[in-house]
Amino acid sequence: RFQRLVKVTLPLLIPAFSAGTILVALYVLSDFGVVSLLRYQTFVNTIYEQMSGRYDYSSAASLSTILIGFTLVLFIFQENLKKRRQYTSPKNRACNLSLFKLGFLKWPALFFSCSVVIIGLVLPLGILVYWFIQSFGSVGEAAIWGTTAKELVRSGINSLSISALVATVAVVLALPLAYWSVRKPQSMIGKCLGWMSQSGIALPGVLIALGLSLVFSRAAPKLSFSVIALFFAFLVHFFAQGLQMTQAGLAQISEKLEEGSRMLGCSALKTFWRVTRPLLSPALSTAWILVFLSSMRELPASLLLRPAGFDPLTVRIWIAASEGFYEQSAAPALLVILLSLPLVVILTRNKYDYQSSEILK
């Protein structure tokens, strides 16, 4: 079993591992809120200080270029890791998996799983519920930071609409680019386009927002602070998530299935719809959900580019929490969680088990 794990399973998981590592690394490079609250000096902090304190935009642009350089280094490392490797079975046979019994290890495994759920979900959710109950007793000055039910519903609709639009467009645009980079790995143009299109995730959201506002102020002043500007900021920042997941899924689909379909007389479009799409559906749904959830909780771009009257839930949370009225931020925070959890449940339940013989039939 250990040899199968090391020599078979882990090598086949390299596309998923590399995509997950790249996404986490780039998100950490671009994160601003956590490092600011914990007073940990990073490139993002320095860029923010140059822009907000010294108004030195040239230095901020230079530091941002270094961040993009780090991003390209990570992409090159990922490319070399996957180079000259095959991640699909040439025979595409299905196999029956047997249940593996952990034995005495089931208790440490159960403890670890429960700890993750309690620390990552139950404890924060419990605190938010406690604050939400406490908010009903807020009077006086704290009440001005509260959100009425009507405003809360409007903010929820704003967050859902912009996030769903960004996620859909990101997945649609990522699909042809993923095909180009995976099916033609020797194309340097495809590689460069893929790398550059993903570099936006390494930039802090505030920098992307300010850059877009500058571009729109010169090209289309009426769109400087609009839903369109907000849409492009989200798309630039989170496009890498959609592309990485699509590439990882496509890399594990044998190209021989598509070739067989074309030899049997199917067109390229019909081959994609009847062969590739069902096998790629889990990766596409994962990509859509990742981009959607990331857009739901993006704050800097929403604060800078949102038009008047278009307040996403993250802005509602920030308005109250930034002034220390945490009880008043509990309602929009709980709504973000309630809107996100169904997608996670759908992702875990919506399992596809298409085999090559069934697809070709």
Side-chain angles (χ1 to χ4, degrees):
R1 287 197 181 102
F2 182 75
Q3 288 180 333
R4 290 204 301 266
L5 174 67
V6 174
K7 295 183 178 181
V8 180
T9 306
L10 291 181
L12 289 175
L13 288 174
I14 286 179
F17 283 159
S18 62
T21 302
I22 289 291
L23 290 178
V24 173
L26 295 180
Y27 193 86
V28 171
L29 279 175
S30 65
D31 187 68
F32 175 73
V34 174
V35 294
S36 299
L37 289 174
L38 297 179
R39 301 180 184 276
Y40 187 80
Q41 195 69 19
T42 62
F43 266 104
V44 177
N45 294 70
T46 307
I47 292 172
Y48 181 76
E49 291 172 359
Q50 295 292 332
M51 296 177 64
S52 61
R54 303 179 183 179
Y55 299 99
D56 189 356
Y57 293 97
S58 59
S59 298
S62 301
L63 292 173
S64 301
T65 305
I66 297 176
L67 271 182
I68 296 177
F70 285 159
T71 305
L72 295 179
V73 169
L74 290 175
F75 288 146
I76 293 173
F77 173 76
Q78 182 189 30
E79 183 66 27
N80 291 331
L81 186 65
K82 298 189 297 184
K83 198 172 183 180
R84 295 186 297 273
R85 290 177 181 264
Q86 183 177 352
Y87 301 101
T88 58
S89 171
K91 296 182 179 180
N92 290 289
R93 285 183 179 176
C95 59
N96 295 323
L97 300 178
S98 58
L99 185 64
F100 181 76
K101 296 183 179 180
L102 295 176
F104 72 93
L105 293 177
K106 66 180 180 180
W107 299 112
L110 180 62
F111 175 77
F112 175 76
S113 303
C114 292
S115 299
V116 172
V117 173
I118 292 173
I119 297 174
L121 179 63
V122 177
L123 187 59
L125 189 61
I127 294 174
L128 287 176
V129 171
Y130 173 76
W131 282 345
F132 178 68
I133 296 173
Q134 290 291 109
S135 66
F136 288 101
S138 299
V139 293
E141 186 177 344
I144 65 174
W145 304 104
T147 303
T148 63
K150 184 178 180 180
E151 293 173 342
L152 194 62
V153 171
R154 187 185 301 116
S155 297
I157 294 174
N158 293 339
S159 295
L160 284 174
S161 58
I162 188 68
S163 300
L165 179 62
V166 171
T168 303
V169 174
V171 171
V172 170
L173 295 180
L175 190 57
L177 191 55
Y179 256 97
W180 193 357
S181 59
V182 174
R183 294 300 187 229
K184 296 182 179 180
Q186 304 302 325
S187 174
M188 287 303 302
I189 298 178
K191 290 180 182 179
C192 293
L193 285 177
W195 294 345
M196 294 306 299
S197 64
Q198 298 177 78
S199 60
I201 196 174
L203 299 177
V206 61
L207 189 64
I208 295 175
L210 289 175
L212 284 174
S213 64
L214 179 62
V215 171
F216 278 114
S217 64
R218 301 287 180 86
K222 294 183 179 180
L223 301 178
S224 296
F225 301 95
S226 63
V227 178
I228 296 178
L230 190 61
F231 162 78
F232 279 106
F234 286 177
L235 185 63
V236 170
H237 198 28
F238 301 119
F239 179 77
Q241 295 179 343
L243 183 58
Q244 283 287 330
M245 290 296 101
T246 306
Q247 286 177 335
L250 193 61
Q252 294 181 320
I253 299 176
S254 177
E255 193 173 0
K256 293 183 178 180
L257 293 175
E258 299 172 346
E259 294 174 353
S261 175
R262 296 299 302 275
M263 291 179 63
L264 291 173
C266 293
S267 63
L269 183 61
K270 192 174 182 179
T271 297
F272 168 78
W273 188 255
R274 298 189 63 181
V275 178
T276 309
R277 180 192 59 84
L279 295 171
L280 195 59
S281 292
L284 293 178
S285 61
T286 302
W288 192 92
I289 290 175
L290 282 177
V291 178
F292 179 88
L293 295 178
S294 298
S295 301
M296 280 278 290
R297 52 189 173 85
E298 171 62 19
L299 176 62
S302 300
L303 283 173
L304 292 175
L305 295 178
R306 75 190 194 281
F310 191 89
D311 289 339
L313 289 172
T314 51
V315 174
R316 291 289 179 183
I317 297 171
W318 181 84
I319 290 175
S322 61
E323 299 295 333
F325 298 103
Y326 299 107
E327 293 86 356
Q328 303 300 329
S329 65
L334 285 173
L335 187 56
V336 170
I337 296 175
L338 291 176
L339 293 175
S340 303
L341 281 180
L343 293 177
V344 178
V345 174
I346 292 173
L347 180 62
T348 56
R349 289 181 175 273
N350 197 15
K351 296 180 179 179
Y352 297 88
D353 192 24
Y354 293 98
Q355 304 299 334
S356 60
S357 58
E358 296 174 353
I359 297 296
L360 293 177
K361 285 180 182 179

